[in-house]
Amino acid sequence: IAYNPAKWELMKNCPAALRIKEPLDSPRLDPNEYWKGVGNTSLLEESNKIVSLRISRKLGENQLKDVEKRVKSAIDHGFTLLSGFLSPGEKLIRDLCCLNKNAKFIRILPSMMPISYRPESAYVKAFLENRYLEIAKGNEEVEFGRVACLDLNEEIVKIATAGEGLAVYWRPEGLLRLG
């Protein structure tokens, strides 16, 4: 209920913010794939510093606090965050991004973007503030499982490292930089 006024404002007064842009054209995206997006597509520009986030489900509470601290620092240094925001740690960071007016972030969906797109309530303010982009590859529904998750993780690494950016994976053994 708390998001209803903002959602109404977004859908009635800012319909362009919710228009699906297809195909997305960005040097960061595989040109052999068909991409769609909703939101601020300028977040994909090559000059934009992107950090792709993968956070293991096995991280402990203290490790998650360290991740949160580092992500806040990345936001303060102008990085845009990219993730599927699927694991509990990634959802924690998603919530942090939704609340932080300085956070710019991109969510990649594990499957196609629905034709009748409606934003999830948590993302409404970020859409209104033009600091959020949601992207999806292809036009087919993909059953989400281990293979789809691995494909999604591979894709976020490619996107982040295709320009100014890096890919990180927080796991119980420590931080791993990819690409």
Side-chain angles (χ1 to χ4, degrees), residues 35-159:
W35 289 89
K36 294 180 182 184
V38 174
N40 184 355
T41 57
S42 71
L43 296 177
L44 283 173
E45 290 176 0
E46 275 186 297
S47 59
N48 198 14
K49 300 181 297 186
I50 292 180
V51 175
S52 74
L53 297 175
R54 292 172 46 205
I55 302 172
S56 171
R57 296 178 178 279
K58 298 176 183 175
L59 287 189
E61 190 175 324
N62 288 336
Q63 290 171 310
L64 284 174
K65 285 180 183 177
D66 181 53
V67 170
E68 189 174 354
K69 185 175 94 178
R70 288 178 182 230
V71 166
K72 284 179 182 177
S73 176
I75 290 168
D76 291 344
H77 285 89
F79 281 88
T80 297
L81 306 176
L82 167 67
S83 181
F85 298 108
L86 298 170
S87 74
E90 291 167 2
K91 288 177 182 177
L92 174 83
I93 298 305
R94 173 206 61 199
D95 294 345
L96 180 143
C97 288
C98 287
L99 295 173
N100 185 332
K101 289 187 179 247
N102 294 322
K104 298 175 289 179
F105 58 116
I106 303 167
R107 177 182 175 208
I108 182 169
L109 300 175
S111 193
M112 68 178 242
M113 185 167 287
I115 294 170
S116 58
Y117 179 82
R118 293 280 185 249
E120 291 180 38
S121 294
Y123 301 104
V124 170
K125 286 194 177 194
F127 268 119
L128 280 169
E129 295 164 353
N130 205 31
R131 56 187 182 86
Y132 177 66
L133 173 64
E134 196 164 288
I135 60 175
K137 179 170 63 169
N139 281 317
E140 296 177 15
E141 190 68 33
V142 175
E143 184 178 334
F144 192 69
R146 180 84 176 135
V147 171
C149 186
L150 292 173
D151 287 346
L152 182 76
N153 287 338
E154 185 178 310
E155 204 62 59
I156 68 169
V157 169
K158 283 186 212 172
I159 292 169

